[in-house]
Amino acid sequence: MSSQRYEKMRRRYVSIGSGELVSVVVFAVVAWRVTPRFADPTDVRALWSALVPLLLILIQGGTYWLLARRWIGTGHMPRGLAAVYRVFRVVDVAILAGGLVGVLVWLPDSLAISALVVGIWLFGVLEYVNYFVVRLSYPLRTWCSQVFRGRSPRLVQDLHRSRRRPSPTAHSTD
């Protein structure tokens, strides 16, 4: 890989990773500032039930992109880290399910707040799908054609590559 291409990918990964982590902070701060305005405490519980799974998935995603800078050009994610992300892949489903239970149990009476809470939870589901099922992030003008190709997310590709045994002449970076 040329050094120019390496640097371009490295900058892209930093941008994506830091963007995901900044969004975690922004979402959390906005929710923290808005919740005192909710009249019903169950509305606050519903909001955080939807938001916590989203924040956890965004933290995992942002961390993945920042760590992935280390194996650009080497071709594989360290096996220990891959094992952690395989656990996240399963645990996140349970966390999303738990969040949905909280959303449904404390579903706000207000249609606007209910729509907000359900929208936040659905955003968490979309982020999970984007990281662990099928890639959803593409430029708007090519989004439909790209999504329907069903490409694996980069994280899933890295998880698959980490399982492959390196050839006897290859140097491991684990």
Side-chain angles (χ1 to χ4, degrees), residues 12-13 64-65 89 127-138 145-161 164:
R12 183 170 178 245
Y13 285 15
Y64 160 75
W65 287 110
R89 188 177 197 176
E127 285 293 334
Y128 175 83
V129 167
N130 186 50
Y131 276 109
F132 292 108
V133 180
V134 65
R135 183 175 169 193
L136 298 175
S137 350
Y138 294 100
S145 64
Q146 294 292 342
V147 166
F148 291 114
R149 290 183 181 185
R151 292 191 175 146
S152 292
R154 174 72 62 180
L155 173 55
V156 171
Q157 293 173 19
D158 281 344
L159 291 175
H160 290 310
R161 271 191 230 105
R164 293 187 192 140

Side-chain angles (χ1 to χ4, degrees), residues 22-35 48 51 55:
V22 166
S23 69
V24 167
V25 173
V26 170
F27 289 149
V29 167
V30 167
W32 192 261
R33 302 274 300 170
V34 177
T35 54
W48 284 98
L51 189 59
L55 297 179

Side-chain angles (χ1 to χ4, degrees), residues 11-82:
R11 282 191 306 271
R12 183 170 178 245
Y13 285 15
V14 168
S15 175
I16 296 169
S18 55
E20 295 286 59
L21 296 176
V22 166
S23 69
V24 167
V25 173
V26 170
F27 289 149
V29 167
V30 167
W32 192 261
R33 302 274 300 170
V34 177
T35 54
R37 297 181 185 174
F38 287 14
D40 189 343
T42 60
D43 294 354
V44 175
R45 290 186 202 119
L47 175 71
W48 284 98
S49 293
L51 189 59
V52 166
L54 170 63
L55 297 179
L56 290 174
I57 291 166
L58 290 173
I59 289 168
Q60 293 166 17
T63 303
Y64 160 75
W65 287 110
L66 293 176
L67 291 173
R69 297 172 305 155
R70 294 183 359 208
W71 60 83
I72 294 173
T74 66
H76 67 278
M77 173 187 242
R79 287 186 182 173
L81 184 61

Side-chain angles (χ1 to χ4, degrees), residues 109-125:
D109 292 331
S110 160
L111 183 59
I113 296 174
S114 289
L116 173 70
V117 166
V118 170
I120 290 168
W121 183 82
L122 286 172
F123 186 40
V125 170

Side-chain angles (χ1 to χ4, degrees), residues 88-103:
F88 286 158
R89 188 177 197 176
V90 174
V91 170
D92 287 349
V93 172
I95 291 169
L96 284 164
L100 179 59
V101 168
V103 166

